[in-house]
Amino acid sequence: MPERKRPKLAVWKFSSCDGCQLTMLDCEDELLALTEEVRISYFLEATRKVEKGPYDVSLVEGSITTPHDIKAIREVRKQSKVLITIGACATAGGIQALRNFKNVKEFIRCVYAHPEYIDTLTTSTAISDHVPVDFELRGCPVNKYQMLEVLNAALNGRKPNIPRHSQCMECKETGTVCRMVATGTACLGPVTQAGCGTLCPGKDRGCYGCFGPMEAPNTAALAARLGQLGQSGRGIRRLFHTYNANSDAFRKEGDNHG
Amino acid sequence: MAQPNSKSTTPYLLDMDGLAALISALRRQGRQIVGPRLADDAVIYDDIETAADLPAGWGSEQAGGHYRLKRRDDNAVFGYGLAPQGWKRQLYPPRQKLFAARRQAGGFTVEPPPPPAPPLALIGVRACELAAIARQAKVFGDRAFADPGYQTRLSSAFIVAVQCAEAQATCFCASMGTGPEVTAGFDIKLTEVFVQKHHGFVAEAGSAQGAKLLKALKAPAAGPAEIKAAGVAVKNAARQNKHLDAEAARNLVAHPDHPRWDKVAERCLSCGNCTMVCPTCFCTTVEDVTDLKGDNAERWRKWDSCFTMDFSYIHGGAVRTETRSRYRQWITHKLSTWVDQFGEQGCVGCGRCVTWCPVGIDITEEAAAITGQERI
Amino acid sequence: MVKPDNLAPLIEDHPFFKGVDTKLRDLLVGCAANERFEAGQFLFHEGQKAEKFYLIRAGTVAIEIDQPGRPPIVVETIAEGEVAGWAWIVEPYRATFDARAVTLVRALSFDAKCLRRKMEADPTLGYDVLRRFVPIMAHRLSAARLQMLDLYAPPKPAKEKTVKAEKADKKSKGANRAPDARLKKAKKKDGK
Amino acid sequence: MNAPLRDALHAPVRDPLHAPVRDPMVPVPFRIEKVRRDLSDTFTMELVPEAGGEFAFQPGQFNMLYVFGVGEVPISISGDPADRSVLVHTTRAVGQVTEALDALKPGDSLGVRGPFGTSWPVESAFGHDLVFVAGGVGLAPLRPAIYQAMANRQRFGRVIVLYGARTPEDILYKKELERWRGRFDLDVLVTVDRATGKWGGNVGVVTNLIARGGFDPLNTTSFVCGPEVMMRYAAQALEKKGVDTGRIWVSVERNMKCGCGLCGHCQWGPHFTCKDGPVFRYDRVADLFQIREL
Amino acid sequence: MADTRTIKVEALARVEGEGSLHVKVKDGQIKELHFGIFEPPRFFEAFLRGRDFREVPDITARICGICPIAYLMGASQAMEDILGITVTKPIRDLRRLIYCGEWIESHALHVYMLHAPDFLGLADALELAKVDRSLVENALRLKKVGNEILETIGGRAIHPVALKVGGFYKLPTKKQLSKLEEELKWAVETSVATVKLVGGFDFPDIQQDYNFMALRHDDEYAIHEGRLVTSSGLDFPVSQFLDHVEEEHVPWSNALHGKPKDGGNHHVGPLARYNLNHDKLGKTARAAAKAAGLGAVVKNPFQSIVVRAVELVQVCEDALKLVQGYVEPDKAFVDAPIRAGEGHGCTEAPRGICYHRYRIDSDGSVLDARIVPPTAQNQKVIELDLWKVVQANLAKSDDEIKWRAEQAIRNYDPCISCATHFLKLEMERG
């Protein structure tokens, strides 16, 4: 039987911890089925086999932190029909975007024995800061079911079921008791996009915003409430400036505190 | 669901063992028993095994954006106020499969979901919650199109109602005319009483099957002291500080451009908590899912909220892009246009939206401000 | 050009001057003429002195803009019962569009100078004529705006993510030593 | 005694006479018999139930069409209500589901739920002039009413179809409009926003055609369908012309997920657009049109 | 010149992160050889400064998606060291259990998906699945057992959320953990079979004289605590790590090379642990190793795959015991007042020791951070191995050499993401 024409999938990495592409390998129950539906054409973490582009779907992990990254992502874009960025690094610059708030050149000069070896930008930025992106999948790391959903939707020509609303809705759906109301715990849930599976509130801690800002978040109102609950300005700033520090809404809100 | 009971019966008096026997009897009927239990720093409605799972001695303190469990000075099992979420979870679950479809040569077949099973027994339903159940029953059945799932779950459920003995700071059922007294819509009604340190439950049947069950428990009749104590409990619960002028609130729709909408939008997180905890909010969306091959598809119904952007999406964009419009939609529907649609208000005064709003926005204050009963 | 003895009934019958006062009508008659345009003939041209306006009695007139090397753009068509030309009221009295007869057009024309003179002299007439023209102008404006909305266009696809400003610092010192397998491989194998 | 509570809980939840036979949320498979391309992005499908039988509906009603695995979309029925043997839908491909619909071919299946919603009250216009005002693909939901009016032609005064399209290439049902225009008992006026090619007809918005009249405003019923802005202005133009706002009917679109009043999405003021609409009497909703982001 | 060859592997496959290999050969002799890590630095130590100490475990977890526990736990230990917290036994056990989860997940992934294809001449595990689908299905199932431990205790497999300084935010219930029992029993059997399978591979005959370094614990095969020992005879507490290890900046790597201060190199990871702690292996693991022909000393880097499989047996069995013995503790964590100080933490990540040192202020903000991950320490020995492997295969084609060299690198399961977070911060002040 001739092999069906399967869409070509490529997985790319920029500055990141690998966790999001590892999520792909963590789809233990679905991985083999997935490879029957897509052709893995470029995925260094999984295979040394490399097929040339263009690729039907590219998953891009990681943020842009070097001049060379900028060139590379443009080439990836050129080679990809659909470009999906996965994870907080790719969609908002990731944890390493915390450098954006400090003087990186200073660091390197003072710290590395040979600063001339180090070639880096002063900022860590999202992929969509550099090339058009078709879909941004949030999370630090992404949720594997959401990742499968996006691939599945792309394969089946439907809209991915990835809500942009608050984490609170997901907490309520799962019947999780609100940490903020019931215990006074600081929580970014009301301004964070749902999708993690109610992880932190389910483990008795406040949401730390690893899925980034929800649609039209009212960060100022939440920050005011966090203040009432006893969070210091610095504490509020840190909350917003962590895993999605360079997303517009969180960056701006964090800048207003501390 | 309770059927009308023509004859009034004399109240029985159950003790904790009697209550346990009642729960066991319901379990023997093959029912899934749902009642209050302690979990995650709150009393929630969840599956319970026995009466020992009930939150004996636990109460709660509730205010705008604030809930704390607190120890009671007695061992009342129904003294916890209201749980974070009502019985909507059981009667209209957050995720429901609508159908499954399978691709076949030249087309596809559609399989409706299996009927809900097993029947429920709901332990500890308050008056406001009975009202909420009734309101959803109208939404899901009082018109040309019914939701068979809701109707089946409700009509097969056994409802053990419980009288409130005290009100939370967020309760305003009295002003909505939905409580605190449980008057109808139950199979068995319990009022928790302490008479000379004896902990008991005055139990009345509200349906034939309730009466049958109570009779089978062979409990003694409640004495005058217990009946009197039950009356006092209801009176206590009726003392509520929060009020909503339901009549005036009808008029909310007349103020679509009131500056208060902007003020509340400054605070509102549009997180959707109020709608999710509201026992009458019924909005849902659907999700189509497929297997990777695309041979099997399913549609699921999920709770939705008018606070999400997608809620009002028509091709091109969302109709209600601003928080003010979304908040306005929620509260005007709840208190005003619901009456046009169903002949009564959508709010039952349970106060959950006040307690569980992370920033403590209070529906009664907003309604009063916009209808001009209070200074802005 | 035929000038019938009495154009009064034609003026009275036309919706534009519906209910006009007899005295005013008589003043109007003095400036009016009956005209006929074959299909393709122009009632007036953009930029020309606006010496007349026309009450369309029959036929269709295209209000259009000429463009070199391409067919003219039709802004609007007007028909029986409507009015062509309003630039005669406003200085410098120059037509702002071309008006072309699409079909055979019968119209009552009014001499602008004549009418303006009478309007100056008789503010009642002046007010009445203006009162009738202003709604026409308002309608034109509103119709033009609705047209600009392109109401029936396909709805815009859900906002595609566009490239945000390139915030990244492009200047960076130090040799780029990182061997770029991704880039090179992609390029090499791109081939064409 | 808490009467509403008691009533709601104890009254039969469904009137057995009108009880739906099946779960309204479960689609019924239909087979595509024919597909005709109307415009570059618009197409008309003829469907028959796979299990056989007929499909009855009122003009103006809609169905939820389900594309296997992709999703559902509300689409007005645009066929002749007198012909129950075939279900006709005209769809414009503007989103994921409609594009997936567009990709289907004769012989393929899709799911249908419906019919839902209110209808054009054709009978209420008996004895009147009947003016249809359509914009863009808004002609499709009106077509069943035009068929019904023509089937009862002698009961009306003048019957006029005023239709505005974007360009001459965007005129829906062009041949049918030509045929109608040829009838002595039906007036068809078409205008385009932008003239292209050899278009020799009217240019300008459809409300201009209303202003020109040709009907007796005091004795006219009008059915208006098109983009919401167009309907608002058309209704205003009709009102200005003297048509009673209680005799103007419009068809409103909002987000619909269930089609039968259960999901809450399509609420517009006190109305469920899916159930109380899509066809509304203009005077009952005129105020709602004026409220932003309602 | 005709006999000058340059062999480049510009992007290493089946490793975490992105690395490269450059070899220059002239006249049949290697002239230059670099194992390059071009993954850009992410400056973790820099932006940790000024953060609250409680945030550090979660933030440092982002250094690596495959061994977040190594960071969560190492950072927590260092903070506990500062605050003077000793966790209770149940918390300690639960920590070991979740660490077992990470090892199972990581080792199963590496053994089957990343490394085994090399020994079978296949490009990847998907090709392996075509040859023997059930083998790959079992591998995935084994990996999933590890992930399920992580998810049950931590909430998710990558960057779990339930761990904190002093213990856990929330404890799993006995019921939740008991659900893992049956799968773990299966996992013990399967990992024994894995040892047998990979023990049967063909290994190039290379013996290296490494200086191993690993944690050692009196009562167990050290994973999450112990003293540091080396095959050269050193034995010191974790807090003295930096007295013995220094870091060097080489031009071809964005990762600093960690190496012993007294010169030479050291090797961390499964081989190091096995050689230094063979006596602490459980019976089942030891038997499996023996059956696969491993002695108490293994110095062939290519046999690391067998050692990894032996460790899989060890952690599957440990996990099973911990699950069976779990009693829900009363408290999820141990608390203590904040105080200023310096603390150290070190654990055995699946690929070797991962060291943390922090100094915090009296308000709990981080003054200084230093993290030395395993792959950075192994860079030097990887190059030494490569030197030998390439030299031994010079007669072969470039492609063959590349494959061999890649395999030699994969022996170390290098985690490049970990290796490049570097920044020495003490020099920045001033």
Side-chain angles (χ1 to χ4, degrees), chain D residues 141-159:
Chain D
L142 282 173
R143 192 168 70 162
I146 298 173
Y147 287 137
Q148 206 169 63
M150 296 315 290
N152 296 280
R153 181 63 190 89
Q154 73 290 352
R155 292 179 180 265
F156 301 97
R158 299 189 66 176
V159 178

Side-chain angles (χ1 to χ4, degrees), chain A:
Chain A
M1 201 174 77
E3 202 178 333
R4 273 172 304 134
K5 192 159 162 42
R6 293 170 298 167
K8 287 167 76 178
L9 177 75
V11 182
W12 309 93
K13 178 182 154 66
F14 290 84
S15 189
S16 66
C17 79
D18 254 49
C20 292
Q21 51 174 322
L22 186 67
T23 301
M24 187 92 160
L25 298 178
D26 274 357
C27 299
E28 289 99 359
D29 294 335
E30 302 86 2
L31 189 63
L32 292 179
L34 182 67
T35 57
E36 282 163 19
E37 303 308 318
V38 299
R39 189 181 168 87
I40 293 185
S41 296
Y42 188 96
F43 186 4
L44 277 188
E45 181 158 338
T47 177
R48 63 194 304 271
K49 197 166 64 189
V50 171
E51 291 178 340
K52 65 174 186 176
Y55 308 98
D56 294 286
V57 179
S58 274
L59 299 178
V60 178
E61 172 192 272
S63 66
I64 301 297
T65 60
T66 67
H68 145 269
D69 283 348
I70 297 176
K71 284 185 228 152
I73 189 59
R74 288 186 185 148
E75 189 58 33
V76 168
R77 175 69 267 189
K78 218 185 283 172
Q79 295 283 331
S80 312
K81 289 182 195 158
V82 174
L83 193 158
I84 299 167
T85 51
I86 54 172
C89 297
T91 58
I95 185 87
Q96 59 270 18
L98 288 176
R99 71 165 72 178
N100 302 7
F101 302 85
K102 301 197 173 189
N103 188 341
V104 171
K105 283 181 178 169
E106 265 319 285
F107 290 168
I108 300 168
R109 196 156 50 242
C110 304
V111 168
Y112 272 86
H114 299 283
E116 70 275 16
Y117 298 165
I118 299 296
D119 186 24
T120 183
L121 296 172
T122 55
T123 54
S124 169
T125 45
I127 300 299
S128 62
D129 286 337
H130 303 273
V131 295
V133 168
D134 299 295
F135 195 87
E136 290 192 321
L137 188 62
R138 305 280 197 78
C140 183
V142 293
N143 174 298
K144 80 173 178 186
Y145 300 105
Q146 284 206 335
M147 180 146 94
L148 285 168
E149 168 62 13
V150 169
L151 287 173
N152 187 327
L155 288 174
N156 286 296
R158 61 180 172 81
K159 188 170 161 268
N161 295 308
I162 307 290
R164 298 285 182 209
H165 57 60
S166 72
Q167 173 53 39
C168 300
M169 301 250 307
E170 197 177 13
C171 277
K172 293 296 175 284
E173 193 188 313
T174 52
T176 306
V177 176
C178 179
R179 294 292 93 201
M180 194 145 105
V181 171
T183 63
T185 306
C187 180
L188 289 184
V191 294
T192 298
Q193 182 172 305
C196 66
T198 316
L199 282 174
C200 289
K203 292 288 180 191
D204 283 2
R205 68 184 290 195
C207 165
Y208 57 62
C210 73
F211 273 60
M214 68 183 280
E215 57 188 15
N218 189 349
T219 52
L222 180 66
R225 180 63 174 170
L226 294 174
Q228 288 166 5
L229 291 174
Q231 287 288 314
S232 66
R234 265 179 85 200
I236 293 170
R237 183 192 180 95
R238 284 186 196 127
L239 266 171
F240 284 105
H241 284 183
T242 311
Y243 306 100
N244 285 279
N246 202 42
S247 65
D248 275 359
F250 285 6
R251 186 186 61 244
K252 284 177 191 156
E253 193 57 44
D255 283 344
N256 290 337
H257 303 273

Side-chain angles (χ1 to χ4, degrees), chain C residues 27-85:
Chain C
L27 286 172
L28 286 168
V29 171
C31 300
N34 211 347
E35 296 197 43
R36 171 197 163 100
F37 297 90
E38 297 299 328
Q41 246 183 307
F42 283 83
L43 282 71
F44 49 80
H45 279 285
E46 179 190 335
Q48 284 180 347
K49 271 276 176 203
E51 287 166 336
K52 291 180 184 175
F53 75 91
Y54 302 86
L55 302 190
I56 312 298
R57 293 175 50 227
T60 304
V61 176
I63 306 298
E64 59 189 31
I65 300 172
D66 185 39
Q67 50 177 356
R70 292 198 220 164
I73 301 161
V74 179
V75 179
E76 185 177 5
T77 53
I78 52 178
E80 181 183 336
E82 295 182 82
V83 181

Side-chain angles (χ1 to χ4, degrees), chain C residues 88-101:
Chain C
W88 67 275
I89 315 181
V90 188
E91 280 187 287
Y93 313 126
R94 291 201 180 275
T96 47
F97 295 100
D98 289 351
R100 177 176 54 86

